[in-house]
Amino acid sequence: MLARVWSASICGIDAVKVGVEVDVSSGGLPGIVLVGLPDIAVQESKERVKTALKNAGYAFPLRKIVINLTPADLRKEGPSFDLPIGVAILAASEQVSADLLGDYLFLGEVSLDSSLRPVAGVLPIAAAAQRLGITGLVLPDSNAREAAVVQGLEVYGFKNLSEVVDFLNAPERHQPVQVDGMKELTKTRPIGPDLKDVKGQNHARRALEIAAAGGHNLIFVGPPGSGKTMLARRLPGILPPLSFDEALAVTQIHSVAGLLKNRGSLVSSRPYRSPHHSASGPSLVGGGSFPRPGEISLAHHGVLFLDELTEFKRDVLEFLRQPLEDGYVTVSRTRQSVMFPAQFTLVASTNPCPCGYFGDSIQACTCTGRQREQYWAKLSGPLMDRIDLQVAVNRLKPEEITRQPQGEASAPVRERVELARKIAHNRFIAESSVGCNAHMQSSHLRQWCQLDDASRNLLEGAIRKLGLSARASDRILKVARTIADLAADENLKPAHVAEAVQYRTIDRMQ
């Protein structure tokens, strides 16, 4: 007898519908043949499912079983096909009703004791199922809340194969999982370390606020112990909360990466990723024979913090240039090419020289000019052009450390940031591709960053004196627009441009 069950496979952060066809035939020698470009994990499903069915008390047909995964030219990977294969074998051997098989997608890894284990990529599969008009999903209980975020889809979560069989034979005895996505999003989110712990550093704190308000890239340059990492770790605490659409996009990426297993439904806080400086290019941008998202995609709508930036390999840093400009990264392989979103705020820190003390008022630098030049050569001009805010951070003096009061807390700063973001959101209400000031294109700059004569003269002088590129001058305008939004000013003023220019003074620090 022939039975067909629907499942799905992940391609990038999208899903493709996959048919699982099982034919149980009395002709030929008993055995299992699995075709349809399965990888090793899918090939191993044969033994897992066979043992699980026996341990759950079902008869495994001692006949020739042919399992076909369609479309045949699509590579199938992962253990998520265990459940649909098991259900299809039961249906083909007439041990379970086949009435509902065409209405639902089945996903899940099956343990040898027939219990269901969570799998990755459930949310994008649920979204694809909803678009395709599928009635619902049947999957492990641990994945149910993640899939139930998608509205208009019946989601049933089960702990083992026996519960799945009972659902197929008597669906009226089971209720779908219900999740209120907006309620999940408004749950208390972790804020992180508070800005009040940072003493002094008013210039750096101001840059951090501007970066949060406009989504601008930021680099801190200073000697060891000046508080660069401490400041960077406090950026998530002043960022605005995720919108529902942003949370869905972030959750899809984390789901594909396998980071949501047993963690609930939506990612409710902005991502903060901090890879080590030994990270490779593929670990940052994504890759593998079956491409998976890298650190820059996992930081989508959040923060990517690169501590000790100059310790990263130069060729690895060059991978950042395209996603910083375009907001996405394309990973190409022989069989397929996938695109991952990567719209993040880059925050970096580095020392000013190999010894770390160039320009320090407390300890003298021991580096030569040539050593400093080679040190900064690790950061290319095009990469530095894409960093809007370049801030020198100095060490506090002893009396400032012991006597300086606490700084302003994160809460009031976050309120100002949210107000500035709201102003920008209202401005870009008709531009779905523009989420904040840092994402503006040339046409937006002409419309919303018009300069008066005084501001124009100031910017032209800065371009000549600092040797700035056209890209750097555009980024100055974006930062000036954010400064104006923080001040609730509709038009750019010379003071806004002047402050923005201050953050471009270390493009070629030596």
Side-chain angles (χ1 to χ4, degrees):
M1 181 178 175
L2 174 67
R4 178 185 287 113
V5 172
W6 294 112
S7 188
S9 181
I10 292 295
C11 183
I13 60 168
D14 297 318
V16 179
K17 189 178 179 182
V18 173
V20 179
E21 300 173 340
V22 171
D23 180 71
V24 177
S25 172
S26 57
L29 295 174
I32 305 175
V33 178
L34 180 57
V35 296
L37 284 183
D39 74 344
I40 295 177
V42 181
Q43 285 282 5
E44 292 173 346
S45 292
K46 298 183 296 184
E47 300 304 322
R48 286 196 297 271
V49 171
K50 180 179 180 180
T51 305
L53 290 177
K54 290 181 177 179
N55 288 334
Y58 300 103
F60 190 84
L62 297 177
R63 301 177 183 178
K64 182 178 180 180
I65 300 174
V66 178
I67 304 170
N68 180 36
L69 306 179
T70 63
D73 59 346
L74 176 69
R75 187 78 172 173
K76 321 301 188 305
E77 66 161 337
S80 62
F81 294 101
D82 289 4
L83 179 59
I85 288 174
V87 170
I89 291 175
L90 290 173
S93 58
E94 300 182 336
Q95 299 182 72
V96 68
S97 172
D99 294 342
L100 300 179
L101 297 188
D103 299 328
Y104 291 85
L105 284 183
F106 293 79
L107 300 165
E109 178 185 345
V110 178
S111 296
L112 299 185
D113 62 356
S114 84
S115 62
L116 302 184
R117 295 173 53 83
V119 293
V122 167
L123 183 58
I125 290 174
Q130 196 267 347
R131 291 195 303 269
L132 293 171
I134 299 294
T135 301
L137 263 65
V138 176
L139 35 63
D141 182 63
S142 301
N143 288 131
R145 291 185 61 80
E146 177 187 341
V149 171
V150 178
Q151 300 300 307
L153 196 68
E154 295 180 9
V155 176
Y156 293 90
F158 300 108
K159 291 183 171 60
N160 53 56
L161 269 174
S162 298
E163 292 183 0
V164 175
V165 171
D166 185 66
F167 164 73
L168 293 174
N169 290 330
E172 67 280 359
R173 293 205 293 255
H174 300 269
Q175 295 296 322
V177 176
Q178 302 288 338
V179 170
D180 186 339
M182 292 303 299
K183 186 176 180 181
E184 290 290 312
L185 189 59
T186 55
K187 285 182 178 180
T188 303
R189 62 189 181 100
I191 297 298
D194 201 293
L195 262 178
K196 68 181 180 182
D197 301 328
V198 180
K199 294 184 177 182
Q201 307 295 9
N202 293 331
H203 184 55
R205 291 169 61 98
R206 171 66 172 173
L208 208 62
E209 182 176 341
I210 295 171
H216 301 290
N217 302 319
L218 167 68
I219 183 172
F220 290 124
V221 182
S226 57
K228 304 184 296 295
T229 302
M230 186 179 187
L231 283 160
R233 287 176 177 168
R234 279 148 181 79
L235 179 57
I238 61 174
L239 288 172
L242 287 168
S243 67
F244 185 73
D245 288 340
E246 288 176 334
L248 277 177
V250 172
T251 305
Q252 282 194 353
I253 297 171
H254 283 66
S255 177
V256 169
L259 301 180
L260 285 188
K261 296 179 181 179
N262 303 313
R263 283 185 53 188
S265 53
L266 279 177
V267 175
S268 58
S269 58
R270 293 189 180 272
Y272 180 85
R273 307 293 298 184
S274 180
H276 190 261
H277 60 74
S278 61
S280 64
S283 71
L284 281 183
V285 301
S289 55
F290 296 96
R292 286 290 181 264
E295 290 291 339
I296 62 175
S297 294
L298 293 172
H300 185 54
H301 290 316
V303 177
L304 177 68
F305 176 47
L306 301 183
D307 200 7
E308 303 298 342
L309 185 66
T310 48
E311 297 301 321
F312 284 80
K313 295 180 180 178
R314 176 167 175 147
D315 60 335
V316 171
L317 294 179
E318 293 304 297
F319 285 129
L320 297 173
R321 287 165 55 177
Q322 184 246 339
L324 282 174
E325 196 71 24
D326 300 333
Y328 65 88
V329 60
T330 302
V331 180
S332 297
R333 293 294 180 266
T334 303
R335 291 183 176 271
Q336 62 179 329
S337 178
V338 300
M339 186 178 74
F340 295 116
Q343 204 167 68
F344 58 92
T345 298
L346 173 65
V347 180
S349 69
T350 186
N351 295 328
C353 65
C355 79
Y357 295 102
F358 179 68
D360 186 37
S361 59
I362 300 176
Q363 187 167 338
C365 174
T366 60
C367 303
T368 65
R370 177 61 177 168
Q371 287 175 322
R372 290 194 293 269
E373 183 179 344
Q374 291 176 338
Y375 183 77
W376 280 95
K378 297 178 183 179
L379 307 180
S380 67
L383 177 62
M384 292 299 291
D385 269 354
R386 290 168 169 81
I387 301 180
D388 308 348
L389 304 166
Q390 304 167 359
V391 183
V393 182
N394 298 316
R395 282 198 293 174
L396 296 178
K397 297 178 181 178
E399 58 271 19
E400 292 176 320
I401 296 175
T402 58
R403 301 177 186 178
Q404 187 117 14
Q406 285 185 328
E408 186 179 21
S410 294
V413 178
R414 186 167 59 252
E415 291 177 3
R416 294 196 296 269
V417 167
E418 290 180 1
L419 181 59
R421 287 261 187 155
K422 185 176 181 180
I423 293 173
H425 175 75
N426 293 336
R427 183 188 304 124
F428 307 133
I429 196 71
E431 301 280 347
S432 59
S433 62
V434 183
C436 55
N437 291 333
H439 304 155
M440 288 192 292
Q441 303 299 319
S442 298
S443 59
H444 306 133
L445 295 179
R446 289 192 296 270
Q447 182 177 356
W448 292 308
C449 297
Q450 297 182 8
L451 300 174
D452 56 24
D453 290 340
S455 300
R456 187 176 296 105
N457 292 335
L458 195 157
L459 180 58
E460 290 173 355
I463 293 173
R464 281 192 295 267
K465 184 175 181 180
L466 298 176
L468 300 177
S469 66
R471 180 188 289 114
S473 65
D474 284 349
R475 290 185 176 269
I476 287 176
L477 290 177
K478 295 176 185 180
V479 173
R481 179 68 267 171
T482 299
I483 294 170
D485 289 345
L486 285 168
D489 288 332
E490 184 176 353
N491 299 316
L492 295 187
K493 299 177 181 179
H496 305 146
V497 177
E499 184 178 359
V501 169
Q502 291 181 18
Y503 299 112
R504 303 296 309 193
T505 56
I506 57 174
D507 278 291
R508 289 294 180 271
M509 189 171 185
Q510 296 181 3

